[in-house]
Amino acid sequence: MRTSHKVAGGSAAVIAAAITFTPGWEGMDLTAKRDMIGTGHPVTYCIGQTDEFGKVKVGQKFTPAQCNELLAKSLPKYLAPLQKCVKREIPVKSMAALLDAAYNAGSGAVCSSPMVKKINAGDLEGACEAFAGWYVRSDGVVRRGLVARRGGDATRKGEKQLCLEGLAEGLARPSFLDKLKLFFLSIWKGLF
């Protein structure tokens, strides 16, 4: 039986891994402010949100629970394009590293990155290593990927480390219950 996702463990596992990783890099702004780092200087709030959930005014307040909920709603929008451009099954944490990069730089930039090219060529270790040299163009400027994240630091790991952890852990194998759920889901879809 063929599934639509390219990651062992499924989308929920990838999103769960990213939810534990992404806030450490993005931070959490409980008060909306102008983003002076990115392009266009949009109003930013919570965990890197801008205007995907409607207009927000500078000074508007949010709770940590609201911010976590918004991140959980945002990540699937970035994961869906990755699932289309990644042609091989990869470990959960490796896909979570790509998802975090997409959340920061955009899914299109990640899909055209050396990381995805190497994954699709069957070189997952090379893909993880490619996070260190990745760069994107924005506002006519070449920016080295997620510069602060390339090597991580003593308290926070970068995408490269997360990707390599995935490689070390390998592919998760679905349990009997997971296989049973997929079987009944395919029957259910066939009925309608």
Side-chain angles (χ1 to χ4, degrees):
M1 176 186 336
R2 189 162 186 261
T3 60
S4 62
H5 53 78
K6 302 283 188 308
V7 62
S11 299
V14 173
I15 290 168
I19 283 173
T20 63
F21 181 81
T22 300
W25 286 106
E26 293 292 333
M28 185 181 290
D29 293 313
L30 299 178
T31 304
K33 63 181 183 180
R34 286 258 167 236
D35 181 0
M36 300 312 285
I37 296 170
T39 58
H41 308 296
V43 174
T44 185
Y45 61 99
C46 285
I47 306 169
Q49 272 72 35
T50 53
D51 61 0
E52 70 182 296
F53 298 108
K55 295 288 180 193
V56 172
K57 295 180 181 179
V58 171
Q60 190 171 335
K61 305 281 187 194
F62 297 88
T63 67
Q66 288 172 317
C67 292
N68 289 330
E69 183 179 326
L70 290 173
L71 178 63
K73 286 181 182 177
S74 291
L75 290 174
K77 296 173 190 174
Y78 293 90
L79 181 58
L82 294 178
Q83 290 173 317
K84 291 178 183 170
C85 69
V86 172
K87 305 296 183 196
R88 294 181 176 265
E89 185 178 35
I90 65 172
V92 169
K93 286 184 178 178
S94 300
M95 184 63 101
L98 290 174
L99 177 56
D100 184 76
Y103 185 72
N104 193 278
S107 298
V110 174
C111 283
S112 64
S113 74
M115 293 88 74
V116 170
K117 288 179 179 131
K118 288 180 181 288
I119 288 169
N120 289 339
D123 181 9
L124 186 55
E125 185 173 355
C128 294
E129 293 294 335
F131 274 104
W134 181 47
Y135 66 89
V136 294
R137 295 183 194 281
S138 65
D139 251 2
V141 177
V142 174
R143 302 177 196 273
R144 289 191 61 83
L146 306 171
V147 175
R149 304 177 195 198
R150 284 183 294 149
D153 61 31
T155 59
R156 301 184 293 185
K157 67 182 136 202
E159 282 90 350
K160 176 182 169 182
Q161 288 89 346
L162 185 63
C163 184
L164 288 169
E165 279 181 22
L167 180 61
E169 292 173 6
L171 297 173
R173 295 291 166 220
S175 68
F176 174 75
L177 184 58
D178 290 334
K179 290 178 184 176
L180 195 58
K181 286 178 188 175
L182 286 173
F183 172 73
F184 283 113
L185 181 62
S186 67
I187 291 173
W188 179 261
K189 285 182 177 178
L191 295 173
F192 297 97

